[in-house]
Amino acid sequence: MTERIVLAYSGGLDTSVAIGWIGEATGAEVIAVAVDVGQGGESLETIRQRALGCGAVEAYVADASDEFANEYCMPTLKANALYQGHYPLVSAISRPVIVKHLVKAAREFGATTVAHGCTGKGNDQVRFEVGIQTLGPDLKCIAPVRDLALTRDKAIAFAEEKGLPIETTKKNPYSIDQNVWGRAVETGYLEDIWNAPTKDIYDYTATPEFPPAPDEVTISFQAGVPVAIDGVRVTPLQAIKELNRRAGAQGVGRIDVVEDRLVGIKSREIYEAPGAMALITAHKHLEDITVEREQARFKATVGQRWAELVYDGQWFSPLKRSLDAFIEDTQQYVTGDIRMVLHGGQAIVNGRRSETSLYDFDLATYDTGDTFDQSMARGFIELWGMSAKVASGRDIRVAGK
Ligand code: ARG
């Protein structure tokens, strides 16, 4: 029987050419798998037909947008995960869900190998292959760009020679990856890290310099997950989409960073994640009133580690799973409403309320009638500083000898 290979198919030039390229190089049949993670753009049916037109023996489309929002974006939100303090893991969290569907398709169509369009220089190859090793340890991996010398120029020549149903003339100088959680743009003119991004780079966000009138929004959360916007019930996917629209119109969530890739390269990336950044900001502010101080401090460290693991392709690892359990436990009381103003590239919280809040007005108030016994403070400070005071006494004594 002819060997079968499942290819992660985007509909773009490289993966379209990869169908025939892999076929010629290996003699295998190629099954194209497109996964909808809310990337928008062309219809999935158009993409499916293109795959067939490029020689795929089967083309499979998976609608994973709700699954992606519920099982990948929501854990990222609960973790307030920002890699290196900036990047909400847009591409990093989409790879594991794509892998899940690739492995499923491989089983369904009797494939022995999974292929993807990544280069040998990035993080995504690692995320794909580590994921496949974990979910389908018997499956082999192949990356035509990396392993079969499929360069951009060769791809264009191949598409023209074979008359593939794909646009090869339109030269987009950027490499773009997008889904409902955000959009990542790199290469081209951006590789000079002193160059400011030009307007044409952005798609999810409007220029924040000339914003429309301020937009006040109330986001309601239940156990860390958004459940309503301005009182209207929403699913996680709807919440992200609605905030992509409203925060995007205000230019919220533009990020320009040089980040550390897992393969040791520093690389410049422009992100836009209006919905994700608005949600993370709101969620963090709700945690500020509902999560106990020590738990909150520790959670910040856990969230950072979680972001690194996910960035580094360890989505299916035991440590990531353990950290998920910790994070989930902290979300028990993260229920309530956050009001924020979206304007001029910023999402600024100006109100919060929660039935499970730890904010105690009577303790906090400077008005008369507070319930805080100020006389307790002196003794507390005396003991709190005791250890450092004893050490300091020793330092003075030793220095004086
Ligand atoms: N640097 C990001 C990451 O590793 C995004 C990778 C894909 N970016 C792109 N523009 N194609 O998660």
Side-chain angles (χ1 to χ4, degrees), residues 8-232:
Y9 184 63
S10 72
L13 173 68
D14 295 311
T15 51
S16 293
V17 168
I19 295 170
W21 195 268
I22 292 171
E24 287 192 3
T26 65
E29 290 177 344
V30 176
I31 294 136
V33 174
V35 182
D36 184 1
V37 283
Q39 59 268 53
E42 291 182 310
S43 88
L44 290 173
E45 186 49 29
T46 307
I47 291 177
R48 206 179 78 81
Q49 289 302 334
R50 184 174 307 135
L52 295 171
C54 289
V57 293
E58 304 265 9
Y60 175 100
V61 173
D63 174 8
S65 51
D66 276 299
E67 178 187 3
F68 178 58
N70 296 337
E71 295 171 33
Y72 298 80
C73 301
M74 291 304 105
T76 307
L77 175 62
K78 289 175 183 173
N80 300 319
L82 295 172
Y83 178 66
Q84 294 187 318
H86 300 291
Y87 166 44
L89 299 170
V90 173
S91 305
I93 58 171
S94 76
R95 303 315 172 195
V97 69
I98 294 171
V99 164
K100 244 179 93 176
H101 287 277
L102 290 173
V103 172
K104 201 169 138 213
R107 301 301 179 217
E108 224 159 281
F109 294 100
T112 56
T113 303
V114 172
H116 59 76
C118 303
T119 75
K121 291 177 83 170
N123 300 310
D124 286 326
Q125 54 171 344
V126 181
R127 296 169 185 152
F128 274 117
E129 292 180 30
V130 170
I132 287 158
Q133 279 171 18
T134 318
L135 300 187
D138 54 307
L139 296 170
K140 290 173 279 180
C141 292
I142 185 167
V145 175
R146 181 193 64 194
D147 307 329
L148 303 174
L150 178 58
T151 60
R152 188 92 190 164
D153 291 342
K154 284 192 202 159
I156 292 171
F158 187 93
E160 275 164 8
E161 184 195 319
K162 307 274 173 187
L164 297 184
I166 173 122
E167 183 86 65
T168 57
T169 45
K170 212 170 62 191
K171 264 213 137 189
N172 189 336
Y174 306 114
S175 163
I176 298 168
D177 183 49
Q178 64 187 56
N179 59 54
V180 75
W181 197 239
R183 188 166 173 270
V185 186
E186 64 176 346
T187 69
Y189 161 88
L190 298 169
E191 284 173 355
D192 179 337
I193 60 176
W194 184 248
N195 282 343
T198 47
K199 283 194 174 60
D200 62 306
I201 295 210
Y202 297 105
D203 185 41
Y204 285 15
T205 54
T207 305
E209 281 88 351
F210 306 102
D215 183 7
E216 193 172 78
V217 60
T218 300
I219 307 172
S220 307
F221 290 87
Q222 187 133 30
V225 170
V227 291
I229 292 180
D230 291 332
V232 178

Side-chain angles (χ1 to χ4, degrees), residues 204-206 212-219 228-232 239-252 274-275 278 340-344 346:
Y204 285 15
T205 54
D215 183 7
E216 193 172 78
V217 60
T218 300
I219 307 172
I229 292 180
D230 291 332
V232 178
I240 302 164
K241 282 187 170 170
E242 172 73 354
L243 289 164
N244 273 343
R245 191 179 64 75
R246 288 172 67 174
Q250 297 283 344
V252 170
M340 69 193 331
V341 175
L342 309 169
H343 193 238
Q346 291 192 287

Side-chain angles (χ1 to χ4, degrees), residues 300-375:
T301 323
V302 172
Q304 196 183 328
R305 189 74 190 93
W306 189 96
E308 287 164 359
L309 284 170
V310 171
Y311 185 89
D312 291 348
Q314 299 288 325
W315 181 272
F316 299 106
S317 72
L319 178 56
K320 146 80 172 45
R321 202 165 56 228
S322 302
L323 299 188
D324 274 330
F326 171 82
I327 292 167
E328 194 53 45
D329 186 65
T330 64
Q331 300 300 291
Q332 185 182 359
Y333 296 117
V334 186
T335 296
D337 301 331
I338 292 292
R339 192 181 57 224
M340 69 193 331
V341 175
L342 309 169
H343 193 238
Q346 291 192 287
I348 297 184
V349 171
N350 68 3
R352 61 287 274 162
R353 66 182 171 203
S354 166
E355 298 284 322
T356 43
S357 170
L358 296 169
Y359 177 79
D360 185 333
F361 178 87
D362 294 330
L363 279 177
T365 185
Y366 284 102
D367 296 348
T368 47
D370 70 314
T371 57
F372 187 86
D373 178 0
Q374 300 214 22
S375 70

